[in-house]
Amino acid sequence: MKHLEGKVTLVTGATRGIGRGIAIGLGEAGATVYITGRSLNNSYANDDISGTLTETQLAVEQAGGVCIPVQVDHSDDEQVRLLFERIQNEQNGQLDLLVNNAYSGVRAIKDAYGRPFWDCEPSLWDASNNVGLRSHYVASVFAARMMTRRKSGLICTISSWGSMSYIFNVAYGVGKTACDRLAADMAVELKPYNVASVSIWPGIVGTELFSRFASEANPTNATNQRNSFFSDRYNWETPLFTGRAIAKLAGDANIMNRTGRLQIVAELASQYGIVDENGDRPASLRSLRFVLPAALPALRQYSSFIPDIKMPWSLLLLTALSSPKV
């Protein structure tokens, strides 16, 4: 079960949410996990939901991994450079996995929710895409310098279904599309050095902030589908689900066959035989097992009988473009 023993990994933005789940999933697999975030022992002053590096460290160690917390603000390139310098020195140049997850735009998305882009301040762009796109590029630069020397490694960039269809706002969607392109283009230049790069699409993940967002977005009109994506919590994943999928990717001897491509967490789980924290296996958002019950809630109690057939991307995009926007 400890197939990542001896592997050195880094998860950015791991005080809570998906980053915390990824760190725990890597810990379960026995990895040494460096984690970053702005809050070491006390929650960040501007947030009202708790989460610290120390808390994540304890959870990773309880799962069986070695965890090294490093307080880093990913909007500061010098702090990021020093982070990789530390890993270089402490691990003799070894870095097997970078997970680009740090994201500082959740609160800005919440504050701007339901408003068109022209009614928002231009700073919404920076809140969505500085730590969450640019920061991924910067971290990847330093990680690639280490990985290409050893001719081995994997860079996973956390993206979203929002790169394909409108979710939240304009700045968010453009940023996620750019994350996918970042992963794909890095793969082209990294491939000769046997370093893989993929983008990761989780499903609907019940993080602390997203759960609160969903509760506050609950529609007052039961016939209004605008917010049903959030409010009913159907087919939600836990952050650990993404962590377990990435842990399997990091140990896949044939990872170069996947480089440059987006990887959907629920579909990785099916391929690798992974289950979520509660023992379930949520369906991919492009599977008939999700799409039909999502459109017809009466079918949800029968979802296990619906074939797990993936919709073609062209049909899925057409469906997304014609569906009610969240």
Side-chain angles (χ1 to χ4, degrees), residues 150-167:
R150 301 180 71 246
K151 291 186 167 47
S152 176
L154 168 63
I155 299 175
C156 293
T157 299
I158 303 301
S159 185
S160 153
W161 294 80
S163 72
M164 182 185 68
S165 178
Y166 182 92
I167 298 178

Side-chain angles (χ1 to χ4, degrees), residues 198-227:
V198 299
S199 58
I200 303 291
W201 284 13
I204 309 169
V205 185
T207 64
E208 301 91 340
L209 281 169
F210 190 81
S211 295
R212 177 171 293 186
F213 187 17
S215 298
E216 294 174 355
N218 188 43
T220 56
N221 183 348
T223 63
N224 182 357
Q225 297 184 52
R226 179 176 174 83
N227 295 313

Side-chain angles (χ1 to χ4, degrees), residues 130-203:
N130 185 11
V131 178
L133 174 57
R134 184 185 185 280
S135 63
H136 295 347
Y137 176 80
V138 174
S140 297
V141 167
F142 292 112
R145 290 174 182 174
M146 297 176 65
M147 292 175 176
T148 53
R149 289 191 196 105
R150 301 180 71 246
K151 291 186 167 47
S152 176
L154 168 63
I155 299 175
C156 293
T157 299
I158 303 301
S159 185
S160 153
W161 294 80
S163 72
M164 182 185 68
S165 178
Y166 182 92
I167 298 178
F168 302 128
N169 60 51
V170 172
Y172 176 86
V174 174
K176 293 308 178 185
T177 301
C179 283
D180 289 344
R181 186 59 185 262
L182 173 67
D185 284 4
M186 289 194 303
V188 173
E189 297 186 2
L190 289 169
K191 189 172 183 179
Y193 298 91
N194 196 44
V195 176
S197 169
V198 299
S199 58
I200 303 291
W201 284 13

Side-chain angles (χ1 to χ4, degrees), residues 301-312:
Q301 59 182 317
Y302 307 109
S303 60
S304 61
F305 299 101
I306 299 174
D308 186 17
I309 299 174
K310 310 302 184 299
M311 295 175 62

Side-chain angles (χ1 to χ4, degrees), residues 262-281:
L262 67 89
Q263 305 295 324
I264 298 170
V265 168
E267 295 177 18
L268 290 173
S270 179
Q271 294 163 19
Y272 287 127
I274 300 165
V275 294
D276 204 346
E277 188 172 353
N278 57 9
D280 294 336
R281 184 179 296 154

